[in-house]
């Protein structure tokens, strides 16, 4: 339903263009929770913005495209980069990072809902009728309709996040993109938000794309996931397979660094830091931190390729499964 083809993007700076996404290729399917993981600065948020067709200066597309395919009156219709924004809210919606701060703190939520719902979707309703539908939807999500009378500054961070998610899903879009939806919330509230997202995806039978730096979040709720490193995809596959048998050395180290119940031994972090995007190393960008790096790795960048059915990896050491 969402296809990313040969996508490369850069940020324009006074010192020249800085490549942030490097030849990304993958697909997101209907009715799945797809996760995008990786350390801060690896390009996850930029990728999500491009999926949502937010390509504003200084971001530019150097090559490639995103194609969103949805059903309209029983027929498949495709929208490409540049046109995806025409179907915002209706087919695709976005919960941005720090979403809680996108609400206007001094405007009641009822007005923010009304302002966000396109006229065409209100089906000639009066404002009161639309708000009745919104109130009913909030109840379906176990949220009080009284929220509509509140100003965002009166709500906790968790409740503001729930309100944003309700707003993003009110029109039953085919795909919802959520960027770090649990960041800056305490663990109990985080769990509640994740449960809400899972319940919503089940109810709407749509697709949720979840960006999180916290690989534990992906383990809990995603069905497939991609792991990004320094602007490229390092590994992609079913989440259960990746956790059972990580193939890329970076994925292995990320999973080994996760805390485990009952195991009090110190977890080893990943040595070193991701490379600066302004001056990435030649060859495999993970080589300076990789315990298995060879001379080949330091010269030739590995190709992101399918090594098992549905499993993609960019590493010279991972062999393709014999067919
Ligand atoms: Fe490590 Fe080489 Fe694989 Fe890169 S290509 S992850 S350096 S083994």
């Amino acid at each position: 339903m969402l296809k990313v083809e040969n996508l490369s993007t850069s940020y324009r700076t006074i010192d020249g263009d800085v490549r942030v996404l490097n030849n990304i290729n993958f697909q997101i399917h209907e009715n799945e929770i797809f996760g995008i993981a990786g350390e801060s600065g690896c390009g996850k948020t930029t990728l999500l913005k491009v999926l949502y067709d937010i390509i504003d200066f200084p971001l530019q597309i150097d090559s490639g495209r995103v194609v969103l395919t949805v059903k309209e009156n029983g027929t498949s219709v495709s929208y490409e980069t540049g046109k995806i924004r025409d179907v915002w809210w209706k087919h695709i919606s976005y919960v941005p990072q720090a979403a809680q701060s996108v609400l206007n703190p001094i405007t009641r939520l009822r007005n923010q809902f009304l302002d966000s719902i396109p006229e065409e979707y209100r089906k000639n309703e009066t404002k009161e009728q639309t708000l009745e539908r919104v109130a009913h939807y909030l109840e379906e999500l176990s949220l009080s309709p009284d929220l509509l009378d509140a100003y965002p500054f009166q709500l906790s961070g968790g409740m503001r996040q729930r309100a944003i998610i309700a707003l993003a899903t009110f029109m039953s879009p085919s795909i919802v993109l959520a960027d770090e939806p649990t960041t800056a919330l305490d663990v109990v509230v985080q769990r509640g938000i994740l449960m809400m997202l899972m319940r919503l995806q089940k109810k709407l039978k749509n697709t949720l794309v979840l960006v999180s730096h916290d690989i534990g979040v992906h383990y809990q709720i995603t069905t497939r996931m991609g792991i990004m490193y320094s602007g490229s995809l390092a590994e992609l596959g079913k989440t259960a397979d990746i956790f059972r048998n990580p193939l890329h050395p970076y994925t292995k180290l990320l999973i080994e660094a996760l805390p485990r119940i009952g195991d009090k031994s110190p977890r080893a972090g990943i040595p070193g830091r991701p490379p600066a995007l302004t001056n990435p190393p030649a060859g495999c960008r993970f080589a300076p931190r990789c315990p298995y790096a060879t001379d080949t790795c330091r010269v030739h960048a590995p190709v992101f390729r399918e090594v098992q059915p549905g499993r993609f990896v960019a590493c010279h050491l991972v062999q393709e499964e014999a067919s």
Side-chain angles (χ1 to χ4, degrees), residues 84-98:
I84 291 175
R85 55 178 55 214
D86 294 350
V87 289
W88 280 357
W89 302 98
K90 182 179 167 193
H91 287 313
I92 184 166
S93 65
Y94 179 56
V95 178
Q97 203 173 124

Side-chain angles (χ1 to χ4, degrees), residues 47-179:
L47 176 58
L48 209 66
K49 282 185 175 171
V50 177
L51 296 185
Y52 195 55
D53 212 0
I54 306 175
I55 302 145
D56 297 331
F57 182 84
L59 180 63
Q60 63 181 13
I61 293 198
D62 299 326
S63 64
R65 62 180 188 161
V66 176
V67 184
L68 169 70
T69 303
V70 288
K71 287 261 178 349
E72 281 180 8
N73 305 321
T75 310
S76 284
V77 183
S78 292
Y79 297 89
E80 284 190 24
T81 303
K83 289 285 174 195
I84 291 175
R85 55 178 55 214
D86 294 350
V87 289
W88 280 357
W89 302 98
K90 182 179 167 193
H91 287 313
I92 184 166
S93 65
Y94 179 56
V95 178
Q97 203 173 124
Q100 305 148 37
S101 57
V102 302
L103 291 170
N104 183 336
I106 53 165
T107 302
R108 287 186 201 274
L109 277 175
R110 61 171 56 238
N111 295 325
Q112 305 203 42
F113 265 88
L114 284 175
D115 290 346
S116 306
I117 300 169
E119 202 61 43
E120 58 162 291
Y121 191 79
R122 289 173 48 187
K123 304 170 186 162
N124 303 321
E125 290 170 332
T126 61
K127 283 183 181 177
E128 287 66 34
Q129 286 168 326
T130 303
L131 284 171
E132 231 170 79
R133 277 205 293 142
V134 174
H136 181 64
Y137 184 64
L138 291 177
E139 278 176 335
E140 281 179 16
L141 302 184
S142 307
L143 298 173
S144 167
D146 293 345
L147 266 182
L148 293 172
D149 293 324
Y151 292 100
F153 75 83
Q154 295 173 310
L155 304 174
S156 66
M159 199 46 81
R160 285 198 297 268
Q161 187 67 306
R162 285 181 170 89
I164 287 275
I165 292 169
L167 184 56
T169 54
F170 176 63
M171 281 166 270
S172 307
S174 312
I175 181 161
V176 177
L177 312 175
D179 192 1

Side-chain angles (χ1 to χ4, degrees), residues 248-249 284 286-287 290 292-294 297 302 314-317:
H248 194 285
C284 175
F286 190 57
C290 180
Y292 313 103
T294 63
C297 302
C315 174
H316 292 304
L317 291 193

Side-chain angles (χ1 to χ4, degrees), residues 196-211:
M196 180 184 182
L197 286 168
M198 278 175 83
R199 276 200 306 273
L200 267 168
Q201 191 274 331
K202 243 188 191 153
K203 171 182 153 69
L204 301 173
K205 292 190 177 47
N206 64 358
T207 298
L208 170 65
V209 182
L210 178 81
V211 158

